[in-house]
Amino acid sequence: MEEQANMTRGPMRARAYGVTIGTMATGQWNALTDVPGVRVGQCTVAFGDGALAPGHGPARTGVTAILPHAGNLFHENVPAASHIINGYGKSIGLVQVDELGAIETPILLTNTLNVPRVADALIDYMLTVESGIGIRTTSVNPVVLECNDGRLNDIQGRHVRAEHVHRALADAADGPVAEGSVGAGTGMIAFGVTGGIGTASRVLPQPHPRYTVGALVLANTGRLADLRIDGIPVGRELAATQGEWAAEARDGSIIILLATDAPTTTRQLGRLARRAALGLGRTGATASHGSGDIVVIFGTHAANRIPHHPPLPVRMFEAIAEDGPLISSLFAAVIEATEEAIVNALFAGDGTGMTGRDTYRVPGLPVKRLLAILRAHAYGFGPGAPPVGAE
Amino acid sequence: MEEQANMTRGPMRARAYGVTIGTMATGQWNALTDVPGVRVGQCTVAFGDGALAPGHGPARTGVTAILPHAGNLFHENVPAASHIINGYGKSIGLVQVDELGAIETPILLTNTLNVPRVADALIDYMLTVESGIGIRTTSVNPVVLECNDGRLNDIQGRHVRAEHVHRALADAADGPVAEGSVGAGTGMIAFGVTGGIGTASRVLPQPHPRYTVGALVLANTGRLADLRIDGIPVGRELAATQGEWAAEARDGSIIILLATDAPTTTRQLGRLARRAALGLGRTGATASHGSGDIVVIFGTHAANRIPHHPPLPVRMFEAIAEDGPLISSLFAAVIEATEEAIVNALFAGDGTGMTGRDTYRVPGLPVKRLLAILRAHAYGFGPGAPPVGAE
Amino acid sequence: MEEQANMTRGPMRARAYGVTIGTMATGQWNALTDVPGVRVGQCTVAFGDGALAPGHGPARTGVTAILPHAGNLFHENVPAASHIINGYGKSIGLVQVDELGAIETPILLTNTLNVPRVADALIDYMLTVESGIGIRTTSVNPVVLECNDGRLNDIQGRHVRAEHVHRALADAADGPVAEGSVGAGTGMIAFGVTGGIGTASRVLPQPHPRYTVGALVLANTGRLADLRIDGIPVGRELAATQGEWAAEARDGSIIILLATDAPTTTRQLGRLARRAALGLGRTGATASHGSGDIVVIFGTHAANRIPHHPPLPVRMFEAIAEDGPLISSLFAAVIEATEEAIVNALFAGDGTGMTGRDTYRVPGLPVKRLLAILRAHAYGFGPGAPPVGAE
Amino acid sequence: MEEQANMTRGPMRARAYGVTIGTMATGQWNALTDVPGVRVGQCTVAFGDGALAPGHGPARTGVTAILPHAGNLFHENVPAASHIINGYGKSIGLVQVDELGAIETPILLTNTLNVPRVADALIDYMLTVESGIGIRTTSVNPVVLECNDGRLNDIQGRHVRAEHVHRALADAADGPVAEGSVGAGTGMIAFGVTGGIGTASRVLPQPHPRYTVGALVLANTGRLADLRIDGIPVGRELAATQGEWAAEARDGSIIILLATDAPTTTRQLGRLARRAALGLGRTGATASHGSGDIVVIFGTHAANRIPHHPPLPVRMFEAIAEDGPLISSLFAAVIEATEEAIVNALFAGDGTGMTGRDTYRVPGLPVKRLLAILRAHAYGFGPGAPPVGAE
């Protein structure tokens, strides 16, 4: 297999089986793209088999691009914030995001050692967006985040090239988002099974305004035994009998991207970002020593876009009032969306699994067995649940 | 009822019912006091009934004191760190803890508006420990943390007086720790039921050295519907039929105190502290807007005590090597101990409940019913589980 | 002498001698109170002489109160931020300021061990502002900062009582601010001479909007030999011949309060606050180990006040556009105002000095000699300069 | 001119003219390399003249490499910390430095848009140091910092290639360090004149142990009018008559690298790093909006190196005792070394200046005139001062 464009895998998501995380309603696609204007594009880079010399493959990697809005991001930044749960990570761009509370490029996800090449390609892209960068205007701050896919992927090879970055950017679309072993998620492992890209969203209930919170994760974290699905500690039973499965302990990381159309200040975005740790905690993850568990959030509320060349010395913007239940509902939305995005990343691997470097094989989540365990625990399946015995 | 000394309530803890959070072993007392040298003392301040004029009661409050070691804390500080999950809180002392990585006083817990009076009484106490403070030596940094017990307690009255602080300090002991509505926990509400003080501990498994992590929480957070016990989302069912229970939404806070005898730097302690958020997340808490969710951790390893007047310009320290599974095991211990400490705070309220200001009544956790729900979900009870049907 | 109300000392400020820090224009009073609506009140607590038993005096201390606006601060908060240059300090309230980006009480300055008593008195005051605190509404977050006046003052005595706090609050006024050994500054020592309260302001030049930045410091930091006045390293010469002066090395701290009427977000306020370190650096201070060098800033722009009970779920804000020279001019204003406020704190001590605990005497800045040194260095005096030879 | 190897420019440093910043003694070379084991290598990339098409030159850029010790950095990390004065910067690597308190690669400086390419080349280099990266061991965290040389340099061209990085690394040596427009400093502008690389060091005086603090800056910050040399505000006079000079306002950044052989924890290193802001303040810099003013510090004390594969679960290390004057002396050393390193970066440009993109010309610091101004202000020249009238 050569490089592949955006490809939907694992059409069945958690909710399709009646696994309904939390209590809030989802957006139309139950995806980051439910936040109006947000687009996601991916390019999978997968080729080669077996044991090639380091630097030559096999490749199980890629790039995932998140575009906060469809306009010119350099000329119209979005407010943003970040939160480091554990900083064993090699991202680029967060120093400036924290200082200015703004993002001026698409956000790219890839693997650890690809970060520089992807960032360099992102600079190329930005020069097509604004040719005056570094000459007639400021420089540019590329934002690239990563997890380590080195168990399945020949990471030394840094196989993501500029063309893959540009393909992922060109692929950006709203609507459904491919999940699992796709784009930057191609070689990722979470809770002992294939992980990678997962997404989910929440819409605030009445009487709140109809704000949306979206989450997209690059899931590469967690031990199988620790896995909790909507609370149920299924990992203990899954791990007890994993048999053929990868038994080795896993460190690993997670990138959590959040977006909301609620009007917010960057301080408020930071508060939302910090809630992602609670959603991560619900899945049973422990943010082990070697994890780069990093949250980035941006706001899409149109009135709050930040012009690169502001026409006036003072700007107006809007933000939710904090002393009331509204912001706490946004917090809850972040937690639920984060939790479900992780679960969706796992469900996407059902029936596939991934074989990579040195013929190392990682199974996909055994969804049938998982559902059986949930049923044995009288899990309160939602409307999509399969009939009893169907698994 | 007048002020009361340390009083053990709720003798049955989660583990006594077979509710066995996580997988790691506990210390002897399953308490913060399992970390050698750590002592806990409490003084409950509870008097008055019904609707008194603001400032006159009823009192449902108190103070809880944690002493990191039995020596002179001012002359031998302990390494320490803090982490703010959400900073809607009025603690005192953390600025210096973060700068110096050290604690030089007992750590006191109380309610929000009592913080100044308790800190002032702690200064009095420290002057008895070292009479030269502010004259022949430096000043002193009292560390006091708080949650808001204003729903049950006449918080305007600031009913904790210096004598209560000194009584709590004098009460400090190792061994079992009273939980629930005691000391600073007296008027606290968590997950819609009485909360307050809870504690737990974990001991690292072989082949790690036998290090202990202890947690003690002042739990005043959470909505009943969100409650998860060892993952099982029992809160949904408890809330659906709570009937007589307090139905109103609750904001609220949590203070999480951690200690370990593992040799650590303050940076490492900070890493441990940040994992408490994952343990909090496992319980279903969401760190709502109005929460002061604050973690403080200290290390008790004898070789790492910090002398106030160091005899030499250079000191030797010990610290765990980080690139290996040891620190990740400490992370897991923090997460499990935090989760179980919260659960223990709830279990302690079984059968009691608390009536406070304006005759407002908060029930205790209905343990029998909770156990029935767990059983209905085929929860994997541990050895202490009651026989089927016993509830 | 018994406790004293606000008393202007050292009528001659640096500018009156032609010592003109920086290049930007000052506001009307060259004080924090040039920021419209800001008021300052002080109460000096000074009594007793010589060597009294610890706890009995002599008192050389007090309280200084800053009120961000004349309205109800609890119902209309001001946006705020803080920055810790060195955290060896015992302030209360900053955790919540950082989380919410808001201040809801007057800001009080006092000495280290008085912080709890002053905070408790501030709670009393706030209960008169809003009787429902902790009952019908939230609790309250008192903000109190401090430096250590223990060399001159009997700090163990904690001589600031509630009445002094209330007197300082009642004394609050706009217009000129008493400087030097007054209020919280009474017992403070900076650069080997009496320090304490100092203030200054800057007004942005055309073509910027006419925004004001004000600074008020509680200066208790610096070694005489390090002192630089508008750059000129006068301290070397002053220290070389200090003769009768206090020769001992000094640690010490500084609190820097900033305010501006420029419309800003709390993130922007944080950026301004961080510039205060550059102004501090210009004076030659080194933020030694034992310093609590803390910056707090608030914004007074009327449209950005934060209602405690917001009428609508979304609020409108105004904030300066950042990509342009405006915010950098505000940075420069912070730096200059901070530098001059410190210098003013020193100048206020000319001819007075202070005798305190154990008859320890601290001289005031010898202004005449200082001016001679400046003249010898061909310092570019501004309009207020005395004629040559006048010193 | 084509790319050039390390080339010493501006042989006369500030001290050679008797400009003696501060009071502490310097190390042998008055350079970062006075910290035992630290080596610096540089590669200047300069070619082309006049107005070429963007992306084609002229190049006025390069790379500067700092190697904390001569051993295998990946296998033996050094303790480290960072501090952000203003975060308008595009560095890579600091997230992990902050989490682990360790650096495992050489530290590279370059320009803003070169960061990704330089980081990618650094990964190549690290794979030669340890071939198992990402396969048999962890990944690697390249640390690259930058300033924007886009006024003189064709920054869009990203003219630093992997070979330049490797040449800078191969060039690393102890002893004197080339300053000014060399390596990463080639196209930098500070205080309106050529800036770039500058370095200095301080040695603690008796009775302290003989610890060294070294600083190396990439100076690209400051307005000429603000410049203070050892306090004296020379910039006002220089700017008043700058005539032919670049008149335009400058934003700009500074990278400050610090090293010490004093035994320290990473928390202590962080405290040292924060003092660099005070040294920066002394020069008159204001950290304007567009500045990436970033401090990175590492410790070289041999006993504190951090093995990648620790042989035992617990390590011993050493750290200075904090409650005493030792750490404050290290703070003072940081401040003085930072201040002098910036001044040295300026002095290195005397008589040269730089012409770059679009034939834009930046003069070097007019040292003769500067000395005349200092003399007119009766500056206390040190031993190297030229005889009166010599300028």
PDB file of all heavy atoms in Angstrom, chain B residues 32-56:
ATOM      1  N   LEU B  32      -3.646   8.302  54.791  1.00  0.00           N
ATOM      2  CA  LEU B  32      -2.470   9.154  54.640  1.00  0.00           C
ATOM      3  C   LEU B  32      -1.408   8.814  55.667  1.00  0.00           C
ATOM      4  O   LEU B  32      -0.204   8.938  55.418  1.00  0.00           O
ATOM      5  CB  LEU B  32      -2.900  10.624  54.804  1.00  0.00           C
ATOM      6  CG  LEU B  32      -1.835  11.688  54.552  1.00  0.00           C
ATOM      7  CD1 LEU B  32      -1.499  11.769  53.062  1.00  0.00           C
ATOM      8  CD2 LEU B  32      -2.299  13.052  55.052  1.00  0.00           C
ATOM      9  N   THR B  33      -1.858   8.376  56.812  1.00  0.00           N
ATOM     10  CA  THR B  33      -0.937   8.061  57.912  1.00  0.00           C
ATOM     11  C   THR B  33      -0.117   6.799  57.662  1.00  0.00           C
ATOM     12  O   THR B  33       0.748   6.478  58.467  1.00  0.00           O
ATOM     13  CB  THR B  33      -1.731   7.922  59.221  1.00  0.00           C
ATOM     14  OG1 THR B  33      -2.859   7.080  58.947  1.00  0.00           O
ATOM     15  CG2 THR B  33      -2.200   9.265  59.727  1.00  0.00           C
ATOM     16  N   ASP B  34      -0.376   6.115  56.572  1.00  0.00           N
ATOM     17  CA  ASP B  34       0.505   4.999  56.223  1.00  0.00           C
ATOM     18  C   ASP B  34       1.870   5.482  55.743  1.00  0.00           C
ATOM     19  O   ASP B  34       2.821   4.702  55.713  1.00  0.00           O
ATOM     20  CB  ASP B  34      -0.141   4.128  55.132  1.00  0.00           C
ATOM     21  CG  ASP B  34      -1.290   3.301  55.673  1.00  0.00           C
ATOM     22  OD1 ASP B  34      -1.178   2.809  56.815  1.00  0.00           O
ATOM     23  OD2 ASP B  34      -2.302   3.158  54.956  1.00  0.00           O
ATOM     24  N   VAL B  35       1.947   6.706  55.349  1.00  0.00           N
ATOM     25  CA  VAL B  35       3.251   7.268  55.015  1.00  0.00           C
ATOM     26  C   VAL B  35       3.952   7.545  56.343  1.00  0.00           C
ATOM     27  O   VAL B  35       3.460   8.339  57.150  1.00  0.00           O
ATOM     28  CB  VAL B  35       3.103   8.564  54.181  1.00  0.00           C
ATOM     29  CG1 VAL B  35       4.474   9.118  53.807  1.00  0.00           C
ATOM     30  CG2 VAL B  35       2.275   8.284  52.931  1.00  0.00           C
ATOM     31  N   PRO B  36       5.056   6.878  56.597  1.00  0.00           N
ATOM     32  CA  PRO B  36       5.643   6.910  57.941  1.00  0.00           C
ATOM     33  C   PRO B  36       5.888   8.323  58.447  1.00  0.00           C
ATOM     34  O   PRO B  36       6.453   9.165  57.742  1.00  0.00           O
ATOM     35  CB  PRO B  36       6.959   6.147  57.757  1.00  0.00           C
ATOM     36  CG  PRO B  36       6.715   5.228  56.603  1.00  0.00           C
ATOM     37  CD  PRO B  36       5.806   6.008  55.680  1.00  0.00           C
ATOM     38  N   GLY B  37       5.436   8.572  59.630  1.00  0.00           N
ATOM     39  CA  GLY B  37       5.659   9.857  60.286  1.00  0.00           C
ATOM     40  C   GLY B  37       4.520  10.834  60.143  1.00  0.00           C
ATOM     41  O   GLY B  37       4.424  11.801  60.912  1.00  0.00           O
ATOM     42  N   VAL B  38       3.661  10.609  59.184  1.00  0.00           N
ATOM     43  CA  VAL B  38       2.561  11.561  58.958  1.00  0.00           C
ATOM     44  C   VAL B  38       1.476  11.365  60.016  1.00  0.00           C
ATOM     45  O   VAL B  38       1.067  10.237  60.286  1.00  0.00           O
ATOM     46  CB  VAL B  38       1.963  11.390  57.543  1.00  0.00           C
ATOM     47  CG1 VAL B  38       0.791  12.343  57.351  1.00  0.00           C
ATOM     48  CG2 VAL B  38       3.036  11.615  56.498  1.00  0.00           C
ATOM     49  N   ARG B  39       1.037  12.467  60.580  1.00  0.00           N
ATOM     50  CA  ARG B  39      -0.021  12.416  61.584  1.00  0.00           C
ATOM     51  C   ARG B  39      -1.163  13.348  61.198  1.00  0.00           C
ATOM     52  O   ARG B  39      -0.937  14.372  60.555  1.00  0.00           O
ATOM     53  CB  ARG B  39       0.533  12.829  62.957  1.00  0.00           C
ATOM     54  CG  ARG B  39       1.515  11.788  63.519  1.00  0.00           C
ATOM     55  CD  ARG B  39       2.130  12.278  64.819  1.00  0.00           C
ATOM     56  NE  ARG B  39       2.839  13.523  64.603  1.00  0.00           N
ATOM     57  CZ  ARG B  39       2.959  14.489  65.516  1.00  0.00           C
ATOM     58  NH1 ARG B  39       2.393  14.353  66.701  1.00  0.00           N
ATOM     59  NH2 ARG B  39       3.638  15.589  65.249  1.00  0.00           N
ATOM     60  N   VAL B  40      -2.348  12.958  61.611  1.00  0.00           N
ATOM     61  CA  VAL B  40      -3.548  13.745  61.309  1.00  0.00           C
ATOM     62  C   VAL B  40      -4.298  14.000  62.607  1.00  0.00           C
ATOM     63  O   VAL B  40      -4.464  13.089  63.422  1.00  0.00           O
ATOM     64  CB  VAL B  40      -4.459  13.000  60.309  1.00  0.00           C
ATOM     65  CG1 VAL B  40      -5.767  13.774  60.093  1.00  0.00           C
ATOM     66  CG2 VAL B  40      -3.738  12.786  58.985  1.00  0.00           C
ATOM     67  N   GLY B  41      -4.723  15.246  62.779  1.00  0.00           N
ATOM     68  CA  GLY B  41      -5.539  15.588  63.937  1.00  0.00           C
ATOM     69  C   GLY B  41      -6.724  16.411  63.501  1.00  0.00           C
ATOM     70  O   GLY B  41      -6.657  17.129  62.497  1.00  0.00           O
ATOM     71  N   GLN B  42      -7.836  16.301  64.231  1.00  0.00           N
ATOM     72  CA  GLN B  42      -9.026  17.020  63.797  1.00  0.00           C
ATOM     73  C   GLN B  42      -9.769  17.589  64.992  1.00  0.00           C
ATOM     74  O   GLN B  42      -9.730  17.046  66.094  1.00  0.00           O
ATOM     75  CB  GLN B  42      -9.961  16.082  63.021  1.00  0.00           C
ATOM     76  CG  GLN B  42      -9.226  15.326  61.926  1.00  0.00           C
ATOM     77  CD  GLN B  42     -10.126  14.730  60.854  1.00  0.00           C
ATOM     78  OE1 GLN B  42     -10.821  15.460  60.177  1.00  0.00           O
ATOM     79  NE2 GLN B  42     -10.096  13.424  60.706  1.00  0.00           N
ATOM     80  N   CYS B  43     -10.456  18.665  64.732  1.00  0.00           N
ATOM     81  CA  CYS B  43     -11.356  19.230  65.728  1.00  0.00           C
ATOM     82  C   CYS B  43     -12.636  19.665  65.024  1.00  0.00           C
ATOM     83  O   CYS B  43     -12.605  20.484  64.102  1.00  0.00           O
ATOM     84  CB  CYS B  43     -10.709  20.422  66.428  1.00  0.00           C
ATOM     85  SG  CYS B  43     -11.793  21.189  67.638  1.00  0.00           S
ATOM     86  N   THR B  44     -13.723  19.056  65.474  1.00  0.00           N
ATOM     87  CA  THR B  44     -15.027  19.376  64.894  1.00  0.00           C
ATOM     88  C   THR B  44     -15.677  20.494  65.699  1.00  0.00           C
ATOM     89  O   THR B  44     -15.655  20.458  66.929  1.00  0.00           O
ATOM     90  CB  THR B  44     -15.923  18.122  64.929  1.00  0.00           C
ATOM     91  OG1 THR B  44     -15.278  17.102  64.174  1.00  0.00           O
ATOM     92  CG2 THR B  44     -17.302  18.407  64.364  1.00  0.00           C
ATOM     93  N   VAL B  45     -16.225  21.458  64.997  1.00  0.00           N
ATOM     94  CA  VAL B  45     -16.921  22.561  65.672  1.00  0.00           C
ATOM     95  C   VAL B  45     -18.373  22.533  65.201  1.00  0.00           C
ATOM     96  O   VAL B  45     -18.671  22.932  64.075  1.00  0.00           O
ATOM     97  CB  VAL B  45     -16.266  23.917  65.348  1.00  0.00           C
ATOM     98  CG1 VAL B  45     -17.000  25.048  66.060  1.00  0.00           C
ATOM     99  CG2 VAL B  45     -14.788  23.898  65.734  1.00  0.00           C
ATOM    100  N   ALA B  46     -19.220  22.019  66.030  1.00  0.00           N
ATOM    101  CA  ALA B  46     -20.623  21.851  65.634  1.00  0.00           C
ATOM    102  C   ALA B  46     -21.504  22.189  66.813  1.00  0.00           C
ATOM    103  O   ALA B  46     -21.405  21.557  67.866  1.00  0.00           O
ATOM    104  CB  ALA B  46     -20.864  20.410  65.167  1.00  0.00           C
ATOM    105  N   PHE B  47     -22.319  23.191  66.647  1.00  0.00           N
ATOM    106  CA  PHE B  47     -23.277  23.548  67.702  1.00  0.00           C
ATOM    107  C   PHE B  47     -24.409  24.355  67.080  1.00  0.00           C
ATOM    108  O   PHE B  47     -24.269  24.932  66.009  1.00  0.00           O
ATOM    109  CB  PHE B  47     -22.602  24.346  68.812  1.00  0.00           C
ATOM    110  CG  PHE B  47     -22.019  25.657  68.368  1.00  0.00           C
ATOM    111  CD1 PHE B  47     -22.812  26.791  68.228  1.00  0.00           C
ATOM    112  CD2 PHE B  47     -20.667  25.762  68.066  1.00  0.00           C
ATOM    113  CE1 PHE B  47     -22.281  28.005  67.828  1.00  0.00           C
ATOM    114  CE2 PHE B  47     -20.122  26.966  67.647  1.00  0.00           C
ATOM    115  CZ  PHE B  47     -20.931  28.088  67.520  1.00  0.00           C
ATOM    116  N   GLY B  48     -25.516  24.383  67.788  1.00  0.00           N
ATOM    117  CA  GLY B  48     -26.659  25.184  67.346  1.00  0.00           C
ATOM    118  C   GLY B  48     -27.517  24.432  66.341  1.00  0.00           C
ATOM    119  O   GLY B  48     -27.061  23.503  65.680  1.00  0.00           O
ATOM    120  N   ASP B  49     -28.738  24.831  66.255  1.00  0.00           N
ATOM    121  CA  ASP B  49     -29.668  24.187  65.336  1.00  0.00           C
ATOM    122  C   ASP B  49     -30.560  25.227  64.706  1.00  0.00           C
ATOM    123  O   ASP B  49     -30.756  26.307  65.253  1.00  0.00           O
ATOM    124  CB  ASP B  49     -30.545  23.165  66.079  1.00  0.00           C
ATOM    125  CG  ASP B  49     -29.756  21.948  66.495  1.00  0.00           C
ATOM    126  OD1 ASP B  49     -29.258  21.237  65.600  1.00  0.00           O
ATOM    127  OD2 ASP B  49     -29.607  21.725  67.717  1.00  0.00           O
ATOM    128  N   GLY B  50     -31.101  24.883  63.571  1.00  0.00           N
ATOM    129  CA  GLY B  50     -32.141  25.693  62.959  1.00  0.00           C
ATOM    130  C   GLY B  50     -31.645  27.005  62.403  1.00  0.00           C
ATOM    131  O   GLY B  50     -30.523  27.128  61.940  1.00  0.00           O
ATOM    132  N   ALA B  51     -32.493  27.996  62.481  1.00  0.00           N
ATOM    133  CA  ALA B  51     -32.225  29.258  61.816  1.00  0.00           C
ATOM    134  C   ALA B  51     -31.800  30.307  62.827  1.00  0.00           C
ATOM    135  O   ALA B  51     -32.634  30.964  63.444  1.00  0.00           O
ATOM    136  CB  ALA B  51     -33.468  29.713  61.058  1.00  0.00           C
ATOM    137  N   LEU B  52     -30.520  30.437  63.024  1.00  0.00           N
ATOM    138  CA  LEU B  52     -30.006  31.494  63.867  1.00  0.00           C
ATOM    139  C   LEU B  52     -29.643  32.672  62.988  1.00  0.00           C
ATOM    140  O   LEU B  52     -29.518  32.546  61.768  1.00  0.00           O
ATOM    141  CB  LEU B  52     -28.787  30.993  64.649  1.00  0.00           C
ATOM    142  CG  LEU B  52     -29.051  29.725  65.491  1.00  0.00           C
ATOM    143  CD1 LEU B  52     -27.771  29.243  66.163  1.00  0.00           C
ATOM    144  CD2 LEU B  52     -30.129  30.024  66.530  1.00  0.00           C
ATOM    145  N   ALA B  53     -29.417  33.801  63.596  1.00  0.00           N
ATOM    146  CA  ALA B  53     -29.003  34.971  62.818  1.00  0.00           C
ATOM    147  C   ALA B  53     -27.613  34.718  62.249  1.00  0.00           C
ATOM    148  O   ALA B  53     -26.762  34.107  62.911  1.00  0.00           O
ATOM    149  CB  ALA B  53     -28.985  36.201  63.704  1.00  0.00           C
ATOM    150  N   PRO B  54     -27.368  35.176  61.007  1.00  0.00           N
ATOM    151  CA  PRO B  54     -26.043  34.985  60.413  1.00  0.00           C
ATOM    152  C   PRO B  54     -24.956  35.450  61.378  1.00  0.00           C
ATOM    153  O   PRO B  54     -25.059  36.525  61.961  1.00  0.00           O
ATOM    154  CB  PRO B  54     -26.093  35.867  59.158  1.00  0.00           C
ATOM    155  CG  PRO B  54     -27.541  35.894  58.781  1.00  0.00           C
ATOM    156  CD  PRO B  54     -28.281  35.858  60.094  1.00  0.00           C
ATOM    157  N   GLY B  55     -23.937  34.627  61.533  1.00  0.00           N
ATOM    158  CA  GLY B  55     -22.857  34.949  62.437  1.00  0.00           C
ATOM    159  C   GLY B  55     -23.000  34.272  63.792  1.00  0.00           C
ATOM    160  O   GLY B  55     -22.058  34.244  64.584  1.00  0.00           O
ATOM    161  N   HIS B  56     -24.184  33.704  64.062  1.00  0.00           N
ATOM    162  CA  HIS B  56     -24.414  33.081  65.364  1.00  0.00           C
ATOM    163  C   HIS B  56     -24.575  31.569  65.294  1.00  0.00           C
ATOM    164  O   HIS B  56     -24.743  30.910  66.315  1.00  0.00           O
ATOM    165  CB  HIS B  56     -25.662  33.703  66.010  1.00  0.00           C
ATOM    166  CG  HIS B  56     -25.463  35.132  66.373  1.00  0.00           C
ATOM    167  ND1 HIS B  56     -25.579  36.161  65.455  1.00  0.00           N
ATOM    168  CD2 HIS B  56     -25.091  35.721  67.552  1.00  0.00           C
ATOM    169  CE1 HIS B  56     -25.323  37.315  66.050  1.00  0.00           C
ATOM    170  NE2 HIS B  56     -25.021  37.083  67.310  1.00  0.00           N
TER     171      HIS B  56
END
